[in-house]
Amino acid sequence: MKGGNVKAKVQGAMNLRLPIHSEINLLSKRDVRTAILFIVLFIASAIIYWFMISYQGISVYRALPVTAVPFFVVGAIYYVIRRRFYAMIFIIVVAILSYLIMPDSVLYIIYLLVCAEGVAQMVDIIQRFSFYKIMASIERVNIKENPSLIDRLVVFVFNIPVDIDTRNLMIDKNIIMDKLPWKDMIFSMLLALLFCMFLWIYLFLNPSFSINVTGVPIYTFTIVLYLAMIVMPCSIFSTLNARISTDYRDFKIYSGFLETFKKMFLPVFAAMIFLISAVSSGPDNLYYVAMSLGMIIIMIIFTSIMYYTSNEVEVVNDIVDKWDTFHPTSIYSQYSENDKRASLDDGVPGTPRRNPSDCFIPDFRNRDL
């Protein structure tokens, strides 16, 4: 009978704890609609891109700007919703003047002032969607007997050690954001550069690749829009100083993310240099790389400024507000090397990694008292 009661309590603990993560949703209805709109526009632009290449005789590279349409629409909608009419008037005036002086420069203005804002909005949405899902995966990854594919991916991307109790998660709740995080911006540039290296390697190995120097910046701007959307969302882990607390040095989740890509950076860089020297047919290849690097720096700076001045404060505040729901109290045991036992003395000798159901059941009803 006693065993049955214990089993019932364990099952009750699991039933109480598990739904908490799934109930945390930071996306507003507007965010969901924006994400759906972006996906629909991306699919439509990809179809149009394929049609232009296959049936209109337009080169792969000259057709690329059409894939920037999703970012343009999302950015334009943001200006309208936030009633930034002066900014819209400024962009229109600058675009008209640019067209009169140098017609090709209009696309640059659109990319920097409208599409970059679209990237910032998508980074915001991705962070809201993924932060607690990633944290929930990290929290349980080292106590699961059979980690899922997503758990394994999280372990790889964030370089999570297998020998620490990942349940002791922490963030900084009192954050003062009074300046641009230049360090995070630099890391974002480096990560975007790493992804761009893979692209360069593919291009240089492609026999049909030929560079039209006059169009290179436009191609690069389009690609960097997507690169920025991929690499920037992880900066939220640095902003909040998300970490796994241990008896020794805390493991910072963003540092693990950077370590994963540092391991990839050097061999990819070496391979790229080798390919450039092996297949270079003149200065055009080096020019392409130099322009790509310049576009990465410019686009990441513009996107970062727009994101950190418009979106980050709201994202951080929403995440912090939900942290007590995600992690209501330090209910998990932590192994102490000094005492040779877990910090919660429940009669089980020295078990550094226990299933969450082995912990006591917290009473959430009086959590605000």
Side-chain angles (χ1 to χ4, degrees), residues 63-316:
L64 270 177
V66 73
T67 60
V69 170
F71 294 107
F72 174 81
V73 173
V74 171
I77 291 175
Y78 173 81
Y79 280 114
V80 173
I81 291 176
R82 292 299 180 95
R83 299 180 180 275
R84 295 190 173 184
F85 300 119
Y86 289 114
M88 293 172 60
I89 293 173
F90 172 78
I91 293 172
I92 293 172
V93 171
V94 171
I96 293 174
L97 292 177
S98 300
Y99 179 78
L100 295 175
I101 298 172
M102 188 183 299
D104 292 339
S105 63
V106 174
L107 278 177
Y108 295 96
I109 303 300
I110 292 175
Y111 273 102
L112 289 176
L113 299 182
V114 182
C115 292
E117 186 63 66
V119 174
Q121 298 310 307
M122 292 310 301
V123 169
D124 180 309
I125 292 172
I126 292 172
Q127 288 178 337
R128 291 177 180 276
F129 174 78
S130 64
F131 179 81
Y132 277 115
K133 288 179 172 56
I134 292 174
M135 293 295 280
S137 178
I138 292 174
E139 183 183 43
R140 300 173 184 172
V141 72
N142 280 354
I143 60 174
K144 284 185 176 180
E145 292 184 2
N146 299 306
S148 65
L149 180 61
I150 294 178
D151 293 330
R152 296 177 187 274
L153 180 62
V154 169
V155 169
F156 169 75
V157 171
F158 294 96
N159 198 32
I160 305 297
V162 298
D163 57 348
I164 63 174
D165 189 343
T166 55
R167 292 171 294 176
N168 299 297
L169 295 173
M170 300 180 68
I171 63 171
D172 289 344
K173 296 183 179 180
N174 300 319
I175 303 173
I176 300 176
M177 293 171 289
D178 55 356
K179 60 182 179 181
L180 289 174
W182 293 104
K183 186 176 179 179
D184 291 346
M185 291 169 61
I186 292 173
F187 281 132
S188 296
M189 293 176 198
L190 293 176
L191 293 175
L193 177 60
L194 174 63
F195 282 101
C196 211
M197 283 182 185
F198 286 105
L199 174 68
W200 295 333
I201 290 173
Y202 165 76
L203 292 178
F204 295 143
L205 286 175
N206 186 353
S208 64
F209 175 62
S210 61
I211 296 178
N212 182 355
V213 172
T214 57
V216 166
I218 292 297
Y219 308 152
T220 307
F221 259 134
T222 307
I223 295 168
V224 173
L225 289 173
Y226 286 94
L227 292 178
M229 187 180 70
I230 292 172
V231 302
M232 286 187 62
C234 287
S235 64
I236 191 66
F237 295 99
S238 174
T239 301
L240 290 167
N241 191 24
R243 60 198 183 276
I244 302 171
S245 178
T246 69
D247 284 337
Y248 301 100
R249 183 173 59 185
D250 291 348
F251 177 81
K252 296 186 177 182
I253 295 174
Y254 188 68
S255 297
F257 173 74
L258 294 179
E259 285 299 320
T260 298
F261 286 93
K262 284 178 183 178
K263 295 175 183 176
M264 301 169 59
F265 191 89
L266 290 178
V268 172
F269 180 73
M272 189 200 69
I273 295 298
F274 173 78
L275 285 171
I276 290 177
S277 61
V279 303
S280 178
S281 59
D284 285 352
N285 284 346
L286 292 177
Y287 174 82
Y288 180 83
V289 171
M291 289 303 298
S292 298
L293 181 60
M295 295 306 107
I296 287 173
I297 294 174
I298 294 172
M299 182 58 71
I300 293 292
I301 288 177
F302 265 81
T303 304
S304 298
I305 290 175
M306 291 180 177
Y307 168 75
Y308 289 118
T309 56
S310 304
N311 303 80
E312 189 188 43
V313 174
E314 293 183 8
V315 174
V316 168

